[in-house]
Amino acid sequence: PRAASAHTGARGPAFGPALPGIGLLAKKEALTGSASSRAVEARIKAAEQALATAAAQQQAGFTARRGQLAMLQGKLSPADYARHLADIDTDERTAVATRTRQAALIASEAAKARAGGEQRMTQALISVVTAKKCSLIVERDATYGWNYAMDITPDVIRAMQ
């Protein structure tokens, strides 16, 4: 017998006969297994990466501005130097505050999108449970072993597509 693995499709030994009315669901696998869930996660990751890239570019710009100002320090009065440095600091604080708001917006939208995935999974689960006449659903990964005919996870993923 092969070791059980939900991701590769390999199966270990089945444990006894399938019990009617009982379904096993791997919730995390169901939530991440549908194409729509993968698309949502890809959009979230892309937004987070875009924000991180923008932050790095902005920080490089502020560093460059400070370097340019340092080269001019001997040519500027102390008051002008301090004013220019304060302008850079103000611009940087404004940029950080804007990125913080953007990150909060991304997190809020991600939470809403993931909640939508939970709702789609719940609707798919209701559909599968009704069709299979299940009266008990157990988290598959919390069991020691199972009969593969009782695993409704693939059916739920298909229903979410």
Side-chain angles (χ1 to χ4, degrees), residues 11-28:
R11 294 183 171 180
F15 286 73
L19 301 173
I22 298 177
L24 302 171
L25 175 71
K27 182 179 179 182
K28 184 176 179 181

Side-chain angles (χ1 to χ4, degrees), residues 6-151:
H7 300 289
T8 62
R11 294 183 171 180
F15 286 73
L19 301 173
I22 298 177
L24 302 171
L25 175 71
K27 182 179 179 182
K28 184 176 179 181
E29 185 180 328
L31 284 171
T32 60
S34 72
S36 61
S37 295
R38 288 190 303 272
V40 164
E41 291 302 321
R43 285 193 305 272
I44 292 167
K45 185 175 182 178
E48 291 170 340
Q49 285 179 325
L51 186 59
T53 298
Q57 291 171 344
Q58 285 177 337
Q59 190 57 48
F62 294 126
T63 300
R65 284 176 61 190
R66 282 191 181 88
Q68 291 167 347
L69 182 60
M71 289 190 292
L72 297 173
Q73 186 172 7
K75 297 177 184 176
L76 298 173
S77 71
D80 283 343
Y81 178 80
R83 184 178 48 80
H84 286 296
L85 187 58
D87 288 345
I88 294 170
D89 290 343
T90 298
D91 291 347
E92 185 175 22
R93 281 191 302 276
T94 300
V96 168
T98 299
R99 285 194 312 267
T100 301
R101 285 190 303 275
Q102 290 170 334
L105 179 61
I106 290 169
S108 173
E109 292 300 315
K112 289 177 191 174
R114 288 179 178 130
E118 287 266 357
Q119 290 171 346
R120 283 189 307 281
M121 189 205 62
T122 299
Q123 291 304 314
L125 180 60
I126 289 168
S127 174
V128 170
V129 165
T130 301
K132 293 194 174 264
K133 298 180 178 147
C134 294
S135 57
L136 175 65
I137 304 300
V138 178
E139 172 61 47
R140 186 190 73 193
D141 296 336
T143 63
Y144 178 72
W146 60 87
N147 183 302
Y148 299 100
M150 296 170 62
D151 187 0

